[in-house]
């Protein structure tokens, strides 16, 4: 059952090269740790529904650097998982709430793995949902080529053509073939994307994060040694997709079994960005995982 969403309060902190905005839905009677919910490049607005299922907790969401309300000194530069991890570390420090429970999805899961490797004391439990860690996949070379082609397309032709290629890549099921980038490019209009170039080159996804995120290799030795309990989550409907396979590959390297979550890559969405998946079932599964022992 969906609970009433508490009113968030907005906060801003300055970090090296950026200004980070985060929201706190505070519950002073909560007995458990704060729950931090992050994505990348998805910002706080994408997690409104999910946050609404945890009104018994203090819930924190944020906009990663270069996304929505969080600004960067150079918004055309790339951001790295280590930079994002440091940003989240500083948010946790500002809250004075560590160790937190952390749900991290997509690129946010990659950044959260970087955080736990560097600051395990910050996080009690990490649920890393579908990190697109192409670096640890057997087909990493064609996957790298595909992401690099997306970034080149963005720099050459703008958002629409690049985003069409991104959608095609992340929805592709199975190993990426060696000749993937040689196949005909998808038509942006098929996805309702712009076909003209507005000249901007600061998109957080296909400009700032796509290469650094997918090419990042987690520090598995540090993660295995961490005090944090790490859970890898993969969607029931996204089997075979790059991010789903990333969750499986990271779990295998850590010697743990991934946990199946309802729906697909955006299973927590409840109308955000015009997408509705299975947010109630997703939140129930997350609560179950956060409450489990060991």
């Amino acid at each position: 059952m969906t609970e009433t969403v508490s009113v968030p309060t907005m906060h801003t902190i300055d970090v090296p090269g950026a200004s980070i905005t985060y929201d706190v839905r505070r519950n002073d009677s909560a007995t458990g740790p704060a729950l931090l919910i992050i994505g990348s490049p998805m910002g706080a607005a994408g997690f409104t529904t999910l946050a609404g299922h945890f009104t018994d907790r203090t819930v924190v969401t944020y906009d990663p650097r270069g996304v929505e309300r969080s600004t960067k000194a150079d918004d055309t530069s790339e951001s790295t998982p280590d930079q994002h991890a440091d940003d989240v570390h500083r948010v946790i420090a500002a809250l004075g709430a560590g160790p937190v429970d952390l749900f991290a999805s997509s690129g946010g899961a990659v950044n959260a793995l970087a955080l736990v490797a560097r600051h395990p004391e910050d996080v009690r439990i990490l649920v890393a949902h579908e990190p697109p860690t192409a670096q640890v996949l057997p087909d990493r070379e064609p996957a790298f080529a595909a992401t690099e082609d997306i970034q080149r397309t963005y720099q050459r032709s703008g958002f629409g053509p690049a985003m069409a290629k991104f959608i095609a890549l992340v929805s592709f099921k199975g190993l990426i073939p060696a000749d993937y980038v040689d196949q005909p490019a998808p038509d942006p209009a098929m996805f309702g994307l712009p076909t003209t170039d507005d000249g901007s080159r600061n998109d957080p996804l296909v400009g700032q994060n796509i290469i650094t995120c997918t090419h990042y290799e987690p520090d598995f030795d540090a993660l295995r040694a961490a005090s944090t309990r790490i859970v890898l989550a993969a969607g029931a409907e996204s089997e075979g997709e790059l991010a789903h396979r990333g969750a499986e590959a990271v779990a295998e390297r850590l010697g743990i079994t991934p946990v199946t979550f309802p729906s697909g890559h955006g299973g927590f969405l409840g109308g955000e960005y015009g997408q509705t998946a299975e947010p109630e079932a997703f939140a129930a599964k997350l609560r179950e995982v956060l409450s489990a022992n060991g």
Side-chain angles (χ1 to χ4, degrees), residues 31-56:
T31 56
L35 173 60
L36 184 58
I37 301 176
I38 70 172
S40 182
M42 182 177 284
F47 297 105
T48 302
T49 300
L50 184 59
H53 288 275
F54 290 90
T55 55
D56 58 321

Side-chain angles (χ1 to χ4, degrees), residues 40-42 106 146-172 180 185-198 200-210 265 273 275:
S40 182
M42 182 177 284
S106 193
T147 56
E148 290 160 7
D149 178 60
I150 290 168
Q151 189 183 62
R152 284 195 302 270
T153 299
Y154 179 57
Q155 296 300 330
R156 181 181 64 247
S157 304
F159 177 77
M163 193 64 186
K165 287 185 175 182
F166 173 80
I167 294 170
L169 175 63
V170 298
S171 60
F172 186 90
Y180 182 85
D187 180 2
M190 292 174 53
F191 303 104
L193 294 165
T195 56
T196 57
D197 183 359
D198 66 3
S200 64
R201 293 295 183 269
N202 60 352
D203 183 74
L205 174 55
V206 293
Q208 298 178 34
N209 288 284
I210 189 168
H265 191 63
Y273 311 111
Q275 301 177 50

Side-chain angles (χ1 to χ4, degrees), residues 141-277:
E141 294 305 326
F144 285 172
T147 56
E148 290 160 7
D149 178 60
I150 290 168
Q151 189 183 62
R152 284 195 302 270
T153 299
Y154 179 57
Q155 296 300 330
R156 181 181 64 247
S157 304
F159 177 77
M163 193 64 186
K165 287 185 175 182
F166 173 80
I167 294 170
L169 175 63
V170 298
S171 60
F172 186 90
K173 292 185 180 289
L175 298 178
I176 308 299
D179 64 347
Y180 182 85
V181 296
D182 299 323
Q183 298 176 12
D187 180 2
M190 292 174 53
F191 303 104
L193 294 165
T195 56
T196 57
D197 183 359
D198 66 3
S200 64
R201 293 295 183 269
N202 60 352
D203 183 74
L205 174 55
V206 293
Q208 298 178 34
N209 288 284
I210 189 168
I211 301 300
T212 54
C213 176
T214 57
H215 289 44
Y216 185 79
E217 181 168 8
D219 184 341
F220 290 105
D221 288 340
L223 291 171
R224 282 188 287 266
S227 56
T228 304
R229 180 162 73 88
I230 301 172
V231 177
L232 271 297
E237 298 174 6
S238 55
E239 185 173 358
E241 295 174 4
L242 188 150
H244 182 114
R245 295 191 294 118
E248 293 176 323
V250 171
E252 182 178 7
R253 291 284 293 272
L254 293 177
I256 59 179
T257 301
V259 175
T260 301
F261 268 58
S263 191
H265 191 63
F268 49 85
L269 293 171
E272 294 89 346
Y273 311 111
Q275 301 177 50
T276 300

